[in-house]
Amino acid sequence: MSENAPRHYIDGHEISGGRLVNLIDRAEELRNGRPQEGSGALAGKSVALIFEKPSTRTRISFEVGVVELGGHPVVLRGDEMQLSRGESVEDTARVLSRFVSAIVIRSGSHENVVTLGEYASVPVVNALTPMFHPCQALADLQTLKQRFGNLDGLKLAYVGDGNNVARSLAVAGSLTGVEVVVAAPEGYQLESDVPAKLTDDPREAVHGADAIYGDVWVSMGDEETADQRRADLAPYRIDGHLLSHAKRETIVMHCLPAHPGEEITADVLYGDRSAVWDQAENRLHAQKALLEYLLAS
Ligand code: CP
Ligand code: NVA
């Protein structure tokens, strides 16, 4: 990387484990200081927030976060841009880099986000692709640190579809000393070279885990196979029975949106051991810390 190359956050490997821990500590500072606390890191700057797919948490937390850092968010749907009419990703990157100080993008094509990063002269942040969801994982690390005081040595059991969220947890966990175990059935498991332990047995996965983590069974883009997915993943529902195989103090996490009764039961989602609402809130703090870091000269 040349000295002037922008800092990106696309597959989660761009930031070292030590730096991730610093970012989480900063995110905690921002959380404790809110609403007064803000570095003004984005004063006088604009950030493009491009959403080619639906979003509640990511879109709102980035928009609010940019404002709280003193900047101006430019929120765009993919179909509002010439990108949707054939303008190239490369040219979009070149032009946006002349206007804004960072580009945050949720896209159905991971390759397009990588290309955007190659041609942009400002930081590019992955706000979810079919491959990765690194901003979610960052907020999840913050949630784990809040609950347990440290990351190194924790065990997180992801149960369900081996998808973008699972893959990003594996990356973030491997960088920070969190052991990630992914329990998924055949055909839904992550590739064998991800930095996680893979199993098809949910009970084995949750044994000794500090956190059990779930996500939807039908991710955006998977709608055509929804019925098959629901049938195949049914044994991987996070419910009281599965929790009985974990420790008493094990917490439950979910990136949301959830489908109570499908991948997680309502009693678990809304129960005492659920950390999901803190996870959602932490999207704001973690992403503010991320933007400060990416834009620091
Ligand atoms: N967890 C998450 O990314 O939620 P949204 O799809 O609502 O942004
Ligand atoms: N795996 C889900 C995450 C949603 C935040 C999806 O990609 O739709």
Side-chain angles (χ1 to χ4, degrees), residues 58-81:
T58 310
R59 183 198 147 160
I60 297 169
S61 55
F62 265 114
E63 185 166 351
V64 171
V66 169
V67 170
E68 289 188 0
L69 291 174
H72 177 77
V74 182
V75 185
L76 297 153
R77 286 203 322 261
D79 64 6
E80 291 172 328
M81 300 179 68

Side-chain angles (χ1 to χ4, degrees), residues 233-272:
L233 288 157
Y236 292 77
R237 176 170 299 118
I238 297 174
D239 57 14
H241 183 65
L242 185 63
L243 253 62
S244 72
H245 292 272
K247 299 187 279 193
R248 255 180 221 285
E249 58 273 24
T250 303
I251 64 166
V252 175
M253 302 176 75
H254 192 304
C255 58
L256 302 176
H259 298 82
E262 198 168 298
E263 76 278 359
I264 186 167
T265 53
D267 60 319
V268 172
L269 178 67
Y270 301 111
D272 291 348

Side-chain angles (χ1 to χ4, degrees), residues 38-179:
S39 60
L42 295 181
K45 295 180 176 172
S46 297
V47 176
L49 306 177
I50 304 169
F51 285 85
E52 296 178 351
K53 292 174 162 194
S55 169
T56 297
R57 281 144 289 271
T58 310
R59 183 198 147 160
I60 297 169
S61 55
F62 265 114
E63 185 166 351
V64 171
V66 169
V67 170
E68 289 188 0
L69 291 174
H72 177 77
V74 182
V75 185
L76 297 153
R77 286 203 322 261
D79 64 6
E80 291 172 328
M81 300 179 68
Q82 296 288 7
L83 197 52
S84 67
R85 296 182 61 251
E87 185 168 20
S88 71
V89 176
E90 292 87 335
D91 286 356
T92 303
R94 291 182 178 107
V95 172
L96 286 177
S97 298
R98 300 291 179 104
F99 295 135
V100 299
S101 298
I103 303 167
V104 176
I105 180 165
R106 171 168 290 195
S107 174
S109 165
H110 185 72
E111 295 68 28
N112 281 357
V113 176
V114 171
T115 304
L116 197 67
E118 283 166 5
Y119 286 84
S121 56
V122 297
V124 170
V125 177
N126 178 355
L128 182 147
T129 65
M131 285 291 287
F132 293 102
H133 197 2
C135 294
Q136 179 67 54
L138 195 59
D140 297 338
L141 290 179
Q142 185 185 354
T143 308
L144 288 170
K145 190 140 191 272
Q146 269 169 12
R147 296 287 173 134
F148 298 104
N150 66 307
L151 294 173
D152 195 27
L154 293 178
K155 175 180 173 182
L156 181 147
Y158 177 96
V159 179
D161 182 26
N163 60 16
N164 45 5
V165 169
R167 194 175 285 106
S168 282
L169 285 168
V171 172
S174 71
L175 291 167
T176 55
V178 178
E179 180 192 9

Side-chain angles (χ1 to χ4, degrees), residues 149-215:
N150 66 307
L151 294 173
D152 195 27
L154 293 178
K155 175 180 173 182
L156 181 147
Y158 177 96
V159 179
D161 182 26
N163 60 16
N164 45 5
V165 169
R167 194 175 285 106
S168 282
L169 285 168
V171 172
S174 71
L175 291 167
T176 55
V178 178
E179 180 192 9
V180 174
V181 182
V182 178
E186 201 184 328
Y188 295 86
Q189 188 51 279
L190 293 175
E191 357 16 282
S192 58
D193 61 350
V194 294
K197 186 172 173 222
L198 309 181
T199 174
D200 62 1
D201 183 348
R203 286 192 231 171
E204 179 195 317
V206 305
H207 181 75
D210 299 290
I212 301 176
Y213 197 116
D215 184 15

